[in-house]
Amino acid sequence: MKIPFQMSSAPALLVLIILFICVGCQQQMSTNDTSNDKDSIQASAPAPADSVQKEDFSQVTFLDGGGKPVTLESLKGKVIFINFWATWCPPCIQEMPSIDRLKQTFKNRSDLVFLMVDVDGQYEASKAFMDENDYDLPVYTPQSEIPTAFLGNAIPTTVILDKQGMLVVRAEGGRDYMEPATVKALNDLLGN
């Protein structure tokens, strides 16, 4: 007996949602193969500073868990590592352990700041995720508009600003942030 195949709207909707998430996240993270330079921060760096448009990001503002605003202006003089992510994004979740280890590597540096920005503005869910996984990564939500120079159409996206507040790295897609080239690039920015 032959049974005709019919797809109800619920499974079709589920398939569309999964495709949307995969396309939205855009890029799966590579494995722990540290010999692949395409995943390092250095490979994602834009052209030399002379040719980079010098935008003023000083008024970009995020909120911490207590609702206190943090402007990028208030962080000048520090290297700023900003990761835009969401709890529903598989590549975001996959890169999180390496970001946590990177932060631990530089834990004694007061001139390096990590901002984990939940693009959905769901602070409580993101904070719960960090706590459940024992990550020491501070969660923020956007208060001001996120500049397109920071975030395009994909997450995860990481941007790094130098001590003068200039954008020096914009990396879309998941990465292994513990690659030697990444650690070296941060040390160079910090002046080590």
Side-chain angles (χ1 to χ4, degrees):
M1 177 170 151
K2 196 173 193 181
I3 300 174
F5 176 77
Q6 286 187 330
M7 191 170 192
S8 74
S9 61
L13 182 60
L14 182 60
V15 168
L16 287 174
I17 290 171
I18 291 170
L19 285 173
F20 174 75
I21 289 171
C22 291
V23 169
C25 290
Q26 200 170 37
Q27 188 176 28
Q28 288 295 332
M29 188 173 154
S30 69
T31 60
N32 288 334
D33 177 11
T34 58
S35 66
N36 190 349
D37 282 343
K38 77 175 178 62
D39 288 333
S40 71
I41 286 179
Q42 210 166 28
S44 304
D50 294 343
S51 63
V52 174
Q53 182 181 4
K54 296 182 183 330
E55 289 187 57
D56 179 17
F57 302 116
S58 62
Q59 297 309 306
V60 176
T61 307
F62 304 103
L63 295 175
D64 69 10
K68 178 184 172 194
V70 176
T71 64
L72 294 183
E73 174 68 29
S74 70
L75 299 174
K76 275 208 177 151
K78 300 179 183 214
V79 173
I80 308 167
F81 180 104
I82 307 171
N83 180 264
F84 295 97
W85 70 291
T87 57
W88 49 261
C89 169
C92 300
I93 303 309
Q94 192 173 4
E95 75 177 359
M96 207 60 67
S98 72
I99 296 173
D100 187 60
R101 286 192 311 274
L102 183 68
K103 184 175 185 280
Q104 295 310 310
T105 299
F106 290 95
K107 68 182 174 190
N108 295 325
R109 295 299 305 246
S110 61
D111 55 347
L112 175 60
V113 176
F114 285 77
L115 305 175
M116 306 303 293
V117 179
D118 178 326
V119 296
D120 291 331
Q122 302 294 321
Y123 176 84
E124 293 301 326
S126 295
K127 178 68 172 132
F129 170 83
M130 294 297 186
D131 291 344
E132 288 168 16
N133 290 285
D134 201 27
Y135 296 141
D136 181 28
L137 297 169
V139 175
Y140 293 83
T141 56
Q143 181 180 34
S144 66
E145 186 173 325
I146 299 170
T148 55
F150 285 8
L151 184 62
N153 295 319
I155 59 171
T157 294
T158 297
V159 297
I160 299 176
L161 306 177
D162 66 14
K163 291 183 177 184
Q164 291 72 45
M166 300 305 300
L167 177 65
V168 293
V169 172
R170 180 175 183 270
E172 283 189 1
R175 301 273 190 283
D176 176 359
Y177 285 99
M178 282 306 295
E179 289 192 4
T182 300
V183 175
K184 181 185 180 320
L186 274 178
N187 273 317
D188 290 346
L189 284 171
L190 292 166
N192 290 344

